[in-house]
Amino acid sequence: NVAAASDMARTMHERSSDSLQRTDQHVGRLLKGLAEFNQKRVTNMVIHLAKSDHMLWKKRLIDMILGRGAIELSEVVDHHTCRLGKWYDSEGKKEFGQNPAFDEIAEPHAEVHALARSAVEKFNRGNKDAAIADVEAIGPISDRIIELLGRLEH
């Protein structure tokens, strides 16, 4: 059972990693042309970047669980300090402050950061099972954030 679970986790990780690599390449192409974008496209780019950040952090947490990378607790910033949080508290609020989807982002975003911090703390103290539970709990919450960000795109 442990071997099967490990194989499944490895397969999921590889698929996620491939998907994230394609997303990262796409974001890189978009950033190169940023100077040519109008404001609408810049806003969409920031939203795409925020989505990518969330996916990349999920990948880092999965890598940590699988022993493919370490995360120091100091790397897990609060939900106001990450790229999405900074955008949310400034430009995002100016442009989307009246949009209900924008308001709905705050709570799950804070929850994702709290769970990530908890997972890293638990994993670094040797409580892998509890860390796995926290990482698994992040999945649907992060998906909700991605969905809400998608509703903001023009």
Side-chain angles (χ1 to χ4, degrees), residues 37-56:
F37 291 160
N38 61 27
Q39 182 58 41
K40 180 173 151 181
R41 289 188 177 175
V42 169
T43 297
N44 285 344
M45 181 60 205
V46 170
I47 292 170
H48 282 293
L49 198 52
K51 289 178 182 180
S52 295
D53 282 349
H54 266 269
M55 290 188 292
L56 290 170

Side-chain angles (χ1 to χ4, degrees), residues 15-152:
R15 287 181 187 162
S16 294
S17 183
D18 291 345
S19 176
L20 290 172
Q21 184 174 3
R22 287 190 302 273
T23 300
D24 188 45
Q25 290 168 348
H26 177 69
V27 169
R29 287 190 301 272
L30 291 174
L31 285 173
K32 286 181 183 178
L34 186 59
E36 300 170 13
F37 291 160
N38 61 27
Q39 182 58 41
K40 180 173 151 181
R41 289 188 177 175
V42 169
T43 297
N44 285 344
M45 181 60 205
V46 170
I47 292 170
H48 282 293
L49 198 52
K51 289 178 182 180
S52 295
D53 282 349
H54 266 269
M55 290 188 292
L56 290 170
W57 258 100
K58 284 194 315 189
K59 179 190 178 300
R60 281 198 69 198
L61 290 167
I62 291 168
D63 283 347
M64 176 190 72
I65 297 294
L66 295 175
R68 294 184 178 180
I71 302 174
E72 295 298 322
L73 193 56
S74 61
E75 295 178 74
V76 186
V77 298
D78 71 23
H79 63 285
H80 295 288
T81 308
C82 71
R83 189 184 339 239
L84 175 59
K86 289 177 183 177
W87 172 81
Y88 186 91
D89 291 337
S90 59
E91 293 88 15
K93 185 173 280 187
K94 290 176 192 170
E95 186 166 350
F96 297 106
Q98 301 302 317
N99 187 317
F102 180 81
D103 288 337
E104 290 180 49
I105 292 170
E107 185 177 327
H109 184 225
E111 191 173 351
V112 164
H113 279 263
L115 283 166
R117 184 170 190 80
S118 175
V120 170
E121 282 179 322
K122 290 172 182 172
F123 187 84
N124 289 346
R125 282 185 298 176
N127 192 347
K128 187 174 180 179
D129 291 338
I132 289 170
D134 285 345
V135 171
E136 287 176 348
I138 288 172
I141 301 166
S142 183
D143 291 344
R144 176 72 176 144
I145 293 168
I146 300 300
E147 186 264 325
L148 290 167
L149 288 168
R151 289 176 32 196
L152 299 178

